[in-house]
């Protein structure tokens, strides 16, 4: 049972991180170069999960996923199954939930980039995508790694949202945080210690890695 | 400068807490109540407050959570569990007033659907979709649901289609939000639903959901025993029976 939860958690965190990197990079770049008055509004929307209780997000998602409402209806008509209590539903929720953890470090790093370099490349005839791939990405490697790690770690730790929309199905929606909750509620403290200790060690190890990368970057 | 401001804020907070705590500790009765019984206890507590000129503070959570809190010294006077197992364990832990363990209500399980097609036990046999139940490992209503399905030889067939709420409240919420169309929930939760949407599960399909109360040893509140007698009185028991439970007496 535990190994299924570990595997599911990893699968969820990996899928979410991949989607977030693919969508978060262009979004962060767009935000970093945006001059519109809409920018604070979009930034607020992206940052919302940072301040919003996860249960609020879970509650709205539960309503949105319901076949009684348009988003849930649409999903049901396309896939033939409901979005709540499915792995896909967890992915949708996690992407929303972990979005700021990926976009914000990326945006900060993009803003600090030396834009003179980009102008020079443009004058030499490099196209937009080319400039992005050869100048922006290589110069923001640390931020990319940081963003991916934060998105991953945050998805691993997700609890409130999964509890609200997950339905606790082993192998499908029962992630580690839910298994931990189960174990504590049923006074299986040995299992609880294993899960909690494992998650603690994981978080600590991840932060040590992140901070040591940060140190190396600063010394350079 | 900054730390000075911080210190002032902290002092203010400390002052506020000391000012507020005596009020919170006055002639108050602190109840720990299993979430399924919260709506009933709220009404009964109002009645009790009027009769005894006191304040009843109700903390509700799952029985497992409340058990953990009590084991770790939470300041409750009376614990109303959704099962008999947690009170028995508290008795073993020597945390309750000896002899105070007693049933106050029996839960009843119903099959509930939001669709208009008539319900029968056959519905459970022929249904192909997902079924909402409470987690059998956490919630007595979940265990009753499992026993019902096992009795009907459907447990295996429902594997992978069971949507488990952490408690019976969440199970109810899964159905009411429209995400699952059929669920096994507590009768007390769906009293206001049209009868065509409900089917009471025969009570010999599952072991009685015996909800027990205990007086907690650490409590020095004399009202606790009075509240227990009030809850077991004929009037209260009749009220409980009208809200989807079988009375304890």
């Amino acid at each position: 049972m535990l190994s299924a939860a570990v595997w599911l958690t990893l699968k969820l965190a990996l899928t979410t991180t991949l989607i977030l990197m693919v969508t978060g990079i262009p979004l962060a770049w767009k935000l970093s170069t945006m001059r519109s008055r809409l920018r604070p509004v979009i930034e607020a929307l992206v940052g919302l999960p940072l301040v919003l209780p996860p249960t609020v997000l879970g509650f709205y998602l539960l309503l949105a996923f319901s076949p009684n409402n348009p988003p849930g209806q649409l999903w049901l008509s396309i896939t033939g199954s409901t979005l709540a209590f499915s792995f896909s539903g967890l992915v949708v929720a996690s992407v929303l939930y972990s979005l700021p953890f990926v976009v914000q470090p990326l945006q900060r790093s993009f803003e600090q980039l030396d834009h003179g370099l980009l102008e020079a490349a443009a004058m030499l005839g490099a196209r937009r995508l080319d400039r992005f791939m050869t100048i922006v990405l290589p110069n923001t490697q640390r931020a990319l790694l940081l963003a991916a790690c934060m998105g991953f770690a945050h998805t691993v730790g997700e609890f409130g949202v999964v509890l609200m929309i997950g339905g606790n199905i082993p192998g499908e929606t029962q992630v580690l945080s839910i298994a931990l909750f189960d174990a504590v509620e049923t006074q299986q403290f040995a299992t609880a210690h294993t899960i909690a200790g494992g998650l603690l060690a994981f978080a600590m190890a991840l932060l040590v890695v992140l901070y040591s990368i940060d140190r190396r970057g600063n010394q350079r | 400068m900054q730390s000075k401001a911080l210190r002032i804020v902290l002092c203010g907070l400390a002052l506020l807490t000391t000012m507020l705590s005596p009020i919170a500790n006055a002639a108050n009765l602190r109840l720990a109540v299993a979430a399924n019984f919260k709506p009933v206890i709220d009404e009964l507590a109002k009645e009790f407050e009027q009769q005894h000129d006191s304040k009843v503070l109700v903390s509700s959570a799952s029985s497992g959570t409340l058990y953990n809190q009590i084991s770790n010294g939470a300041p409750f006077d009376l614990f109303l569990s959704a099962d008999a197992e947690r009170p028995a364990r508290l008795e073993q832990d020597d945390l309750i007033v000896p002899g105070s363990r007693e049933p106050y209500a029996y839960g009843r399980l119903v099959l509930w659907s939001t669709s208009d097609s008539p319900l029968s036990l056959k519905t459970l046999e022929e249904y192909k979709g997902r079924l909402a139940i409470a987690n059998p490992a956490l919630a007595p209503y979940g265990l009753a649901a499992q026993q019902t399905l096992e009795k009907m030889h459907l447990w295996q067939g429902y594997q992978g289609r069971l949507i488990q709420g952490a408690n019976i409240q969440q199970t109810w919420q899964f159905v009411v939000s429209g995400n699952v169309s059929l669920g096994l929930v507590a009768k007390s939760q769906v009293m206001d639903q049209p009868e065509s949407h409900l089917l009471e599960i025969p009570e010999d399909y599952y072991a009685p959901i015996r909800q027990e109360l205990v007086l907690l040893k650490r409590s020095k509140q004399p009202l606790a025993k009075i509240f227990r007698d009030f809850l077991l009185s004929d009037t209260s028991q009749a009220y409980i029976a009208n809200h989807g439970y079988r009375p304890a007496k």
Side-chain angles (χ1 to χ4, degrees):
Chain A
M1 186 202 107
L2 251 188
S3 61
V6 171
W7 170 234
L8 184 72
T9 307
L10 288 179
K11 199 169 86 168
L12 178 66
L14 271 176
T15 316
T16 305
T17 310
L18 267 176
I19 295 176
L20 276 177
M21 290 308 279
V22 172
T23 54
I25 291 173
L27 178 61
W29 179 252
K30 188 79 207 156
L31 277 174
S32 74
T33 55
M34 206 174 190
R35 298 272 175 268
S36 154
R37 261 182 304 175
L38 272 179
R39 177 168 162 171
V41 178
I42 301 175
E43 280 177 327
L45 273 178
V46 170
L48 212 47
L50 284 174
V51 282
L52 205 63
T55 40
V56 174
L57 185 61
F59 174 64
Y60 284 127
L61 285 177
L62 192 69
L63 294 185
F65 287 178
S66 162
N68 299 338
N69 295 317
Q73 226 162 34
L74 184 72
W75 182 270
L76 189 66
S77 65
I78 298 173
T79 63
S81 60
T82 56
L83 203 43
F85 324 119
S86 71
F87 183 72
S88 317
L90 289 195
V91 172
V92 172
S94 306
V95 165
L96 290 174
Y97 180 64
S98 298
L99 187 68
F101 294 86
V102 170
V103 171
Q104 289 192 345
L106 288 178
Q107 189 187 337
R108 240 170 281 135
S109 151
F110 289 157
E111 279 164 358
Q112 284 164 6
L113 200 69
D114 180 5
H115 282 252
L117 276 176
L118 289 174
E119 281 157 28
M123 279 195 290
L124 291 173
R127 284 176 196 280
R128 194 179 284 214
L129 186 66
D130 190 17
R131 289 191 314 249
F132 194 77
M133 299 306 260
T134 53
I135 295 172
V136 178
L137 290 187
N139 278 297
T140 52
Q141 268 174 4
R142 273 195 311 139
L144 289 171
L145 186 67
L146 178 79
C149 288
M150 291 303 278
F152 187 88
H154 215 250
T155 308
V156 167
E158 185 178 332
F159 173 71
V161 182
V162 195
L163 186 73
M164 298 284 278
I165 61 158
N168 196 12
I169 307 168
E172 174 96 15
T173 59
Q174 194 189 62
V175 293
L176 277 173
S177 56
I178 299 290
L180 172 59
F181 174 73
D182 262 21
V184 176
E185 284 276 278
T186 50
Q187 285 93 41
Q188 297 172 314
F189 287 121
T191 315
H193 274 302
T194 312
I195 304 176
L199 287 173
L200 181 67
F202 161 75
M204 187 65 197
L206 189 87
L207 284 179
V208 168
V209 170
L210 279 179
Y211 285 129
S212 48
I213 292 172
D214 211 36
R215 167 80 30 94
R216 252 189 298 158
N218 286 340
Q219 281 167 351
R220 199 164 52 186
Chain B
M1 188 64 200
Q2 212 174 16
S3 75
K4 198 174 174 186
L6 187 70
R7 223 174 302 161
I8 292 172
V9 170
L10 284 179
C11 283
L13 275 177
L15 199 66
L16 202 65
T17 343
T18 39
M19 273 165 57
L20 288 176
S21 56
I23 306 170
N25 288 332
N28 288 333
L29 180 64
R30 282 162 300 191
L31 302 182
V33 177
N36 76 80
F37 207 65
K38 173 92 168 27
V40 176
I41 215 67
D42 278 345
E43 282 306 308
L44 289 174
K46 257 185 236 159
E47 177 74 28
F48 185 82
E49 283 177 336
Q50 278 174 3
Q51 284 180 18
H52 293 86
D53 192 28
S54 59
K55 190 107 193 69
V56 179
L57 304 173
V58 177
S59 303
S60 81
S62 76
S63 302
T65 301
L66 293 170
Y67 169 85
N68 283 337
Q69 291 177 356
I70 292 165
S71 305
N72 289 298
F76 296 119
D77 301 307
L78 202 62
F79 172 37
L80 278 68
S81 182
D83 61 7
E85 188 195 326
R86 265 77 184 217
R89 217 176 300 170
L90 286 174
E91 188 170 39
Q92 280 169 17
D93 301 342
D94 200 24
L95 289 172
I96 71 166
V97 175
S100 69
R101 192 154 72 82
E102 212 160 340
Y104 61 92
Y106 289 88
R108 293 156 89 175
L109 190 68
V110 290
L111 185 65
W112 175 40
S113 160
T114 44
S115 84
D116 279 322
S117 48
L119 287 175
S120 69
L121 284 173
K122 259 214 141 42
T123 314
L124 263 183
E125 287 167 17
E126 290 163 357
Y127 181 67
K128 291 280 170 280
R130 292 168 148 182
L131 178 71
I133 65 168
N135 188 333
L138 301 183
Y141 287 96
L143 185 63
Q146 177 179 356
Q147 289 165 344
T148 302
L149 292 175
E150 279 171 349
K151 169 114 184 161
M152 297 175 70
H153 305 289
L154 298 171
W155 180 247
Q156 283 307 322
Y158 269 106
Q159 290 312 303
R161 295 194 283 142
L162 294 172
I163 307 298
Q164 297 181 13
N167 51 51
I168 198 67
Q169 256 59 36
Q170 209 189 1
T171 312
W172 174 83
Q173 180 200 323
F174 286 160
V175 182
V176 81
S177 66
N179 282 295
V180 188
S181 51
L182 197 66
L184 284 164
V185 298
K187 188 178 181 193
S188 56
Q189 295 176 302
V190 286
M191 295 294 287
D192 58 345
Q193 294 288 318
E195 264 185 43
S196 61
H197 292 191
L198 297 178
L199 173 80
E200 193 151 341
I201 302 293
E203 280 183 80
D204 55 346
Y205 276 41
Y206 55 91
I209 304 172
R210 182 181 155 109
Q211 306 200 177
E212 285 191 347
L213 63 80
V214 285
L215 295 172
L216 296 169
K217 218 176 196 174
R218 75 189 301 272
S219 159
K220 301 279 176 280
Q221 177 55 268
L223 279 175
K225 205 182 160 311
I226 300 173
F227 188 89
R228 187 186 73 151
D229 296 342
F230 165 80
L231 198 62
L232 299 174
S233 72
D234 290 345
T235 335
S236 300
Q237 286 290 314
Y239 181 85
I240 289 170
N242 275 328
H243 286 78
Y245 296 89
R246 200 164 290 295
K249 295 191 165 170

